[in-house]
Every structure is written in structure tokens, then in C-alpha cells.
Amino acid sequence: MSQETAKIILWEEKQKDYLKKFYDLQFTPRVGEEIYLNKENWRVTRIEHDLEVNEVNIYMELIKKLKPEKSFNSQIK
């Protein structure tokens, strides 16, 4: 008996277009987990499984990094 692989689609929350599709992903990330994709950090907000078409939709939001201010004293060693 062969096991069919699920299609994993990564979506940006509140957007109509997907970020990436996978057909051979080894694991499904959990809600709240962080993912590094397209040189940016993302956080999973929700996951929807569609069993009829063997598809998993993962919705994510971009994690915005606050850049720390570099002071002159921290650069002197």
C-alpha cells in the first residue's frame, strides 16, 4: 500500500497568494512555531487540513525584528 504525500501550502496571513508549495515536506509545523523562509522569520498563526484533496494550508505572519541601536561605546573594545 503506497502512502500519498500531502500538498503543503504556506500562506501569508490575510493575503490571497501563497508563499511556497511543498509536496515532500517531512513535518507540519505547529501553531506558534517559527519558520525561516525567503530570508525572513515567520510565525505560524493557524493550520487548516483539507482531507478531500489531501492538502494542508499553513497561514503565517512575518516577524518584524527591532533593530537595536548601536552605541559608540559598545563598538570600542
Side-chain angles (χ1 to χ4, degrees):
M1 179 153 81
S2 66
Q3 188 176 15
E4 194 175 318
T5 58
K7 179 172 36 171
I8 310 292
I9 304 174
L10 303 178
W11 299 86
E12 184 173 359
E13 191 69 62
K14 300 177 184 172
Q15 297 293 325
K16 295 180 182 179
D17 200 16
Y18 66 91
L19 295 168
K20 194 106 172 153
K21 278 187 189 177
F22 294 99
Y23 293 93
D24 57 351
L25 198 61
Q26 297 294 323
F27 66 94
T28 303
R30 299 177 190 156
V31 174
E33 193 170 349
E34 292 184 12
I35 298 173
Y36 185 74
L37 178 70
N38 297 338
K39 299 181 181 180
E40 297 177 309
N41 286 326
W42 299 83
R43 181 174 292 119
V44 176
T45 56
R46 63 187 167 110
I47 300 173
E48 295 177 353
H49 298 268
D50 190 345
L51 298 176
E52 291 180 10
V53 293
N54 201 18
E55 184 175 280
V56 179
N57 294 303
I58 300 173
Y59 296 89
M60 305 180 305
E61 64 183 1
L62 185 62
I63 300 173
K64 296 180 181 176
K65 292 184 178 182
L66 297 175
K67 294 185 180 180
E69 293 182 24
K70 294 182 180 179
S71 65
F72 181 72
N73 292 334
S74 66
Q75 293 177 358
I76 301 174
K77 292 187 179 182

